[in-house]
Amino acid sequence: MNKIRVRFAPSPTGPLHMGGVRTALFNYLFAKKHGGDFLLRIEDTDQKRFVPGAEEYIVESLKWCGIVPDEGAGFGGDLGPYHQSQRKDIYPAYCEQLIQSGWAYYAFDTSEELDNARTAFEAENKTFIYNRYTRESLKNSISLDDDAVKKLIDAGTPYVIRFKMPHDVIVSNEDLIRGKVSFNTNDLDDKVLFKADGLPTYHLANVVDDYLMKISHVIRGEEWLPSLPLHVLLYEALGWKDAMPQFAHLPLILKPVGKGKLSKRDGDKLGFPVFPLLWTDPATGEISSGYREEGYFPDAFINMLALLGWNPGTEQEIFSLEELTQSFGLERVGKSGSKFDPEKTKWFNHQYLVNRDNQMLASDFEKEIENRLSSINRELEGNKITFDRASLPTIVSLVKDRVNFVSEMWEQSSFFFVAPSDYDAKTVKKRWKEDTPQLMTDLKAVIETIEDFSSENCEEIIKNWITENEHNMGAVMNAFRLSIVGAPKGPHMFDIIAIIGKEETLARLQHAIAHINR
Ligand code: GLU
């Protein structure tokens, strides 16, 4: 069997939608599973739709996701160039071949003439299609004789080259996801293969390049299924039937609610990103959010995407890229669309966050702490707040269960760094009784005597003191928490005080005694 070679072939017309990332991912997984190559080809023949920065965005997205091409635009390889705009000289010969063999023809119709034809059809409630029924009455190398055609070409008349769609043929193909798919050519039009600007259209360039780049499998979105019969016929017309790749058309990614495909425009409107990275539209300056900037881990994002359309056939949900590569197969990709679930996407991030190494999380969180503290410190006249880096991995380990993103850790842990300056009013009302200041003063005295300030030792000493003195455990602990944290939240109290230390614990108790008024 020939080597497995697949390609991701985006057009640089804007940011890569997450559906596009999934297409790239499934290609990557398929290639890696079979020891094959994953190529990146930039399909930039439609110059009107070219968007500056889009290609760089695509490459950066793939790199962020860890699905790095083995070959292609920016990645080297022997079968390049991998930008279609740099392959201009390659395509005309194939068009010529198609014309010679009668599979294609020149068409000289101006856009005005085509508009007129359309209007005339509409007047009779019909839709104009450039095909077997209309081509004879239009201006092309089928309706005109050779001399007339030669004259038009010699005079520099602009023309396109169209595919001559055969009549009454059933084109079938064995799609790796959908099984046998069949199309009747009578429903299809004579697609343009080569444009007046001297560039091929998507159809011609795509087929020629897949052939020349020795692509074995075309794995792409369902929206390309209608193009399949033309592509299959092009392989036949060019004499490449035996080298034709196998096709797999991936199901759509659907909106979380309602019907229809998750489109580029849905994104931020529905409250979640549709793009892997933040994108600033170069023309309008409009910003669309990205998973990276929203704080998602690339492996969590990829894991979520893999399960949109593919299922492992088991209950397993968490897969590293390596595990995905082992388990992936097109036979487990469904035909019907999968609904995108933004909540589940957060859940995936949570799972990855909880399992992430605390040192790594600590270094991600450190930047956030620095930012927060520097804005607090700017307001402070006297002593600036500093923090102890060494305690970060422990702090992170104590709060990570409660968050989906590193950016949410501050909310859950700010009291480790900054003493409360005010106290949650509801809790004060409920937990700060008349005798509480005295109780906290006594607690302070106990704490002053503790030498080994570890969580366990503090817990033992304080709890013993509570029981021996027949204090109410809840009354002491709730008021203690209010004094140290400022609110009824946070991890185990003794873990908190062990981290902030004895001096800070005493200072916070003192501040609470002096400032909390019922
Ligand atoms: N250039 C096409 C796109 O933008 C490629 C489709 C295909 O994979 O054949 O998706």
Side-chain angles (χ1 to χ4, degrees), residues 122-137:
E122 273 160 22
E124 292 179 36
N125 264 338
K126 287 194 247 159
T127 314
F128 170 74
I129 304 175
Y130 210 120
N131 63 7
R132 164 174 205 272
Y133 300 103
T134 54
R135 63 170 89 103
E136 301 282 346
S137 57

Side-chain angles (χ1 to χ4, degrees), residues 89 154 304 325 396 404:
D89 299 343
D154 289 348
M304 176 281 294
T325 303
V396 156
N404 293 327

Side-chain angles (χ1 to χ4, degrees), residues 361-373:
L361 286 175
S363 71
D364 287 349
F365 185 34
E366 192 173 327
K367 291 170 213 123
E368 168 92 15
I369 300 169
E370 274 163 5
N371 288 339
R372 298 276 188 165
L373 291 185

